[in-house]
Each structure stands twice: as C-alpha cells, then as structure tokens.
C-alpha cells in the first residue's frame, strides 16, 4: 500500500523545521495580520490628520498603508505571483472610498464620512490583497 500523502500537508510539530522543498515565497500573506495592520495604519493616518489637519495631503494619505503593505511583502518575501492581488484590492478600495464617502456624506456629513470611508477602503484593499495572495497555488 503506497503512501500518497504530501509531507507539506502535515502540520509541523513545535520546533520542527519545514521540509527543504517548501519555498517560503509560496506561502500566502497572513490574512489577519495584513488586514489588522493596514487598518491600524489607516486609522493612525486619520488620527494624525485630525490632530494636524494642515499636514494631511494626498501623499500623506497614501504613505502609511502602502508602506505597510510593501513592508509585509518584503518581510514575508511574498512572491511576485502573489502581488496580483494589489490590483483588484486597489480597484475595490478606490470604489469603496469614493462611492462610500459620497453615500456617507449624505447621511452623516463629510467630517465623518471621509475617515470612515478611508479606513474601510484600506481594510477592503488589504483583505482583497491577502485573499488573492493564496492563488495561484503551487501545483507540484
């Protein structure tokens, strides 16, 4: 009777190393960490914007969360085949921001609509990016 199990599918014991044929670049971005850190960076940008409104411009709005995503790619060596998720993430995030801000501005006013739409858009971007990083899977 042959053993058809792939050793990469087995959970690793504490202190055990990964098999040598597992490339860490094939691992997806950690979903929870990417989303939570991106949301925290976006919320931090909004708090800084509230404390120093004259310092808030377009470059500053994009700097925090984008830097965090680039850091995540560099630290976890997410392979270039996993980066494609940034494209649908950006499209969804931008649509959420512009459409959500307009809708929320009619309901609660622009003062609250901008920060809520901004943080939600970055959360959606990070979720789409992290989810898409799971595909394509290694076929071997």
């Amino acid at each position: 009777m042959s053993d058809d199990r792939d050793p990469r599918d087995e959970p690793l014991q504490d202190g055990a190393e990964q098999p040598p044929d597992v490339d860490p670049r094939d691992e997806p971005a950690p979903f929870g960490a990417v989303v939570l850190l991106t949301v925290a960076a976006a919320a931090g940008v909004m708090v800084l914007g509230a404390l120093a409104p004259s310092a808030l411009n377009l470059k500053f709005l994009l700097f925090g969360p984008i830097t965090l995503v680039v850091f995540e790619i560099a630290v976890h060596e997410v392979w270039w085949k996993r980066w494609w998720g940034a494209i649908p993430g950006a499209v969804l995030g931008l649509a959420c921001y512009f459409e959500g801000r307009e809708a929320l501005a009619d309901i609660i006013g622009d003062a609250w609509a901008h920060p809520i739409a901004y943080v939600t858009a970055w959360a959606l971007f990070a979720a789409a990016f992290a989810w898409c990083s799971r595909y394509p899977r290694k076929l071997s």
Side-chain angles (χ1 to χ4, degrees), residues 3 10 20 22 39 41 46 53 60-61 68-69 76 83 89 112 119 133:
D3 189 11
E10 298 296 322
V22 175
V39 167
M46 286 293 101
F60 185 70
L61 285 175
L68 189 64
V69 170
H76 291 285
W83 295 7
W112 283 100
V119 173
S133 76

Side-chain angles (χ1 to χ4, degrees), residues 28-45:
F31 188 84
V34 170
V35 173
L36 289 175
L37 289 174
T38 304
V39 167
V45 167

Side-chain angles (χ1 to χ4, degrees), residues 15-127:
E17 293 184 26
Q18 289 185 341
D21 60 339
V22 175
D23 188 352
R25 295 176 299 174
D26 287 332
E27 296 299 317
F31 188 84
V34 170
V35 173
L36 289 175
L37 289 174
T38 304
V39 167
V45 167
M46 286 293 101
V47 168
L48 286 173
L51 297 175
S54 61
L56 198 61
N57 60 33
L58 184 59
K59 292 178 186 175
F60 185 70
L61 285 175
L62 295 175
F63 180 71
I66 287 178
T67 302
L68 189 64
V69 170
V70 169
F71 173 76
E72 188 68 32
I73 289 170
V75 167
H76 291 285
E77 296 183 32
V78 178
W79 200 18
W80 68 269
K81 289 183 179 180
R82 308 280 184 206
W83 295 7
W84 72 272
I87 296 169
V91 170
L92 290 171
L94 287 171
C96 173
Y97 175 73
F98 289 113
E99 295 299 323
R101 183 178 177 178
E102 290 294 321
L104 285 172
D106 293 340
I107 298 170
I108 60 175
D110 195 45
W112 283 100
H114 171 64
I116 292 171
Y118 178 80
V119 173
T120 305
W122 276 111
L124 188 58
F125 167 80

